[in-house]
């Protein structure tokens, strides 16, 4: 029999939350490796239910969302595991004659067996070069980094200039624009957010580009949904606190005396997101969830509170000019020399 919520006691055993996160790269699904192996392992290890809600607009833009359902502690464990499985891809350019002398098929097989990475070659006929996408996963980044350096060495191309194309929702792009200068200052990479696209383009050395991509992941929108006992007084208190925590709050009342709550913030702010959940349910400090954050996200503490303002705005226009690396205005593809693969 389902237990009833009340203001003085909440049974965590009976509670579930739903956490929706955005991924800059779609999870690998060409051979169903992730869905049949990785995703099922995450669900089994964390005792959660995970699925990818369909969204026609986001699908067209190449953005994938993942919804995790379970207890908050289990959901947090699943979030960390999923982040480890999200692909990371670097694009580099090299002369076509050097690649052809080695053979693209042999290179793909060698790097797959040696480093566990995927490679995609795209021939650019106008300048006789290849755009090469080398892709791995977060939990094996050391091997991916070694693969990129090794490839640049054998085809004799500089490794100081690689590119990344991170798929983003309109809200995420707007949040990145808000802290572009901070990201560039901390990472040393260059950032461009095309006004007419759903992506963030990064250029720099392998290390600086990765550094920037990690910070960009930190400002990814995160949405937490759960139910709680209806309380007008508590809801007003939570709305006041949420502004200080840079969290957007929406509440829908139901006829059964239960409130449906939706808390939204940036992923680097997960700690406050979970703390606001605890406060809303009136739980003791022993129920606090302290998420494991990536060390690079500590730099985002310098950001002014921006999520609350952004998520409640209906217009997500650029806040600054696009950055021209050559010192002049041009298209974003020309700015970062990035061709999608």
């Amino acid at each position: 029999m389902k237990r009833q919520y009340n203001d003085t006691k909440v049974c965590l055993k009976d509670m579930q939350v739903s956490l929706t996160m955005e991924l800059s790269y779609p999870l690998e699904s060409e051979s169903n490796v992730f869905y049949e192996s990785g995703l099922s392992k995450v669900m089994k290890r964390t005792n959660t239910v995970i699925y990818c809600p369909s969204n026609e607009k986001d699908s067209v833009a190449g953005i994938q969302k993942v919804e995790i359902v379970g207890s908050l502690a289990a959901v947090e464990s699943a979030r960390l595991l999923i982040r480890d499985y999200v692909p990371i891809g670097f694009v580099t350019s090299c002369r076509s004659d050097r690649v052809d002398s080695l053979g693209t098929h042999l290179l793909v097989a060698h790097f797959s067996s040696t480093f566990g990475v995927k490679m995609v070659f795209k021939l650019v006929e106008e300048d006789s070069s290849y755009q090469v996408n080398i892709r791995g996963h977060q939990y094996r980044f050391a091997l991916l980094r070694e693969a990129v350096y090794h490839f640049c060495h054998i085809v004799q191309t500089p490794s100081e200039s690689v590119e990344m194309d991170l798929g983003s929702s309109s809200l995420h792009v707007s949040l990145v624009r808000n802290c572009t200068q901070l990201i560039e200052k901390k990472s040393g990479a260059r950032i461009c957010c095309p006004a007419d696209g759903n992506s963030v383009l990064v250029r720099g050395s392998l290390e600086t580009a990765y550094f920037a991509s990690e910070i960009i992941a930190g400002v990814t929108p995160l949405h937490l949904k759960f139910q709680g006992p209806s309380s007008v007084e508590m809801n007003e208190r939570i709305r006041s606190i949420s502004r200080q925590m840079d969290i957007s709050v929406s509440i829908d009342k139901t006829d059964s005396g239960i409130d449906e709550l939706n808390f939204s913030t940036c992923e680097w702010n997960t700690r406050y997101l979970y703390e606001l959940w605890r406060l809303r349910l009136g739980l003791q400090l022993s129920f606090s969830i302290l998420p494991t954050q990536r060390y690079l996200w500590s730099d985002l503490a310098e950001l002014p509170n921006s999520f609350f303002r952004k998520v409640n705005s209906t217009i997500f226009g650029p806040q600054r000019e696009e950055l021209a690396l050559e010192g002049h205005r041009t298209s974003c593809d020309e700015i970062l020399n990035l061709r999608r693969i």
Side-chain angles (χ1 to χ4, degrees):
M1 188 172 83
K2 188 174 181 179
R3 298 173 188 252
Q4 297 294 320
Y5 292 100
N6 58 67
D7 291 329
T8 59
K9 183 178 180 181
V10 178
C11 183
L12 288 182
K13 183 179 179 181
D14 292 339
M15 290 198 322
Q16 282 192 332
V17 301
S18 170
L19 187 73
T20 301
M21 54 193 296
E22 296 180 8
L23 309 181
S24 55
Y25 282 116
L27 300 175
E28 300 290 354
S29 59
E30 293 179 1
S31 60
N32 291 323
V33 171
F34 185 87
Y35 290 98
E36 294 179 1
S37 177
L39 190 54
S40 61
K41 287 180 180 178
V42 172
M43 289 191 287
K44 187 174 182 179
R45 285 180 58 182
T46 60
N47 193 28
T48 57
V49 175
I50 306 173
Y51 63 96
C52 302
S54 59
N55 185 306
E56 183 177 348
K57 181 179 179 181
D58 288 340
S59 297
V60 172
I63 303 162
Q64 186 167 14
K65 294 183 179 180
V66 174
E67 186 167 350
I68 314 166
V69 179
S71 69
L72 185 59
V75 163
E76 169 59 14
S77 296
R79 179 186 72 88
L80 295 176
L81 289 172
I82 288 174
R83 276 293 172 210
D84 284 343
Y85 276 105
V86 175
I88 306 173
F90 295 96
V91 178
T92 186
S93 300
C94 59
R95 286 174 46 180
S96 59
D97 58 338
R98 291 171 179 167
V99 171
D100 292 338
S101 65
L102 298 169
T104 56
H105 293 295
L106 292 177
L107 286 171
V108 169
H110 170 68
F111 277 81
S112 176
S113 61
T114 305
F115 302 102
V117 300
K118 293 181 62 177
M119 300 183 71
V120 179
F121 293 83
K122 180 179 179 181
L123 181 62
V124 183
E125 296 183 356
E126 56 265 28
D127 57 7
S128 298
S129 67
Y130 275 107
Q131 294 285 324
V132 187
N133 188 316
I134 306 175
R135 184 173 298 179
H137 293 91
Q138 178 71 37
Y139 73 100
R140 304 182 70 186
F141 175 71
L143 281 175
L144 174 61
R145 175 171 51 194
E146 187 178 350
V148 175
Y149 282 135
H150 181 57
F151 175 79
C152 291
H153 173 71
I154 63 176
V155 298
Q156 302 176 28
T157 191
S159 61
E160 288 75 25
S161 181
V162 299
E163 297 151 349
M164 304 180 74
D165 185 355
L166 309 175
S168 304
S169 64
S170 298
L171 176 57
H172 188 202
V173 171
S174 183
L175 292 167
V176 172
R177 285 195 181 104
N178 190 58
C179 59
T180 294
Q181 292 180 337
L182 173 63
I183 298 173
E184 291 185 330
K185 178 181 177 181
K186 295 293 183 180
S187 68
R190 302 304 299 271
I191 312 297
C192 177
C193 301
D196 57 349
N198 290 93
S199 65
V200 177
L201 308 180
V202 182
R203 182 180 181 182
S205 67
L206 188 148
E207 300 294 340
T208 61
Y210 175 69
F211 196 148
S213 72
E214 282 285 273
I215 301 179
I216 289 169
V219 294
T220 303
L222 201 64
H223 309 281
L224 181 69
K225 297 180 182 179
F226 62 98
Q227 293 184 342
S230 182
S231 172
V232 175
E233 181 180 354
M234 179 62 77
N235 289 344
E236 288 303 314
R237 180 189 175 206
I238 289 300
R239 290 184 189 279
S240 176
I241 297 174
S242 68
R243 290 177 177 268
Q244 302 173 41
M245 292 183 169
D246 199 22
I247 298 172
S248 174
V249 174
S250 64
I251 302 171
D252 294 323
K253 296 185 179 298
T254 66
D255 297 333
S256 59
I258 300 297
D259 285 346
E260 300 279 351
L261 302 105
N262 189 343
F263 293 173
S264 303
T265 191
C266 295
E267 195 155 349
W268 80 274
N269 201 32
T270 305
R271 177 179 180 180
Y272 284 143
L273 183 70
Y274 294 166
E275 181 64 8
L276 195 64
W277 163 86
R278 183 188 69 81
L279 293 174
R280 175 57 181 81
L281 295 181
L283 302 174
Q284 298 177 356
L285 282 172
S286 58
F287 293 109
S288 296
I289 302 293
L290 299 179
T292 301
Q293 300 288 63
R294 300 183 183 182
Y295 76 95
L296 295 178
W297 290 0
S298 61
D299 293 318
L300 292 171
E302 299 179 19
L303 285 177
N305 286 3
S306 60
F307 189 89
F308 186 89
R309 182 173 65 255
K310 289 292 181 185
V311 81
N312 287 284
S313 173
T314 57
I315 301 176
F316 300 108
Q319 293 188 341
R320 62 199 297 271
E321 293 290 307
E322 292 181 13
L323 298 171
L325 300 184
E326 302 300 329
H328 60 274
R329 290 301 301 270
T330 179
S331 71
C332 204
D333 278 345
E334 293 174 336
I335 291 173
L336 294 188
N337 190 33
L338 184 64
R339 300 172 176 85
R340 292 178 181 269
I341 298 179

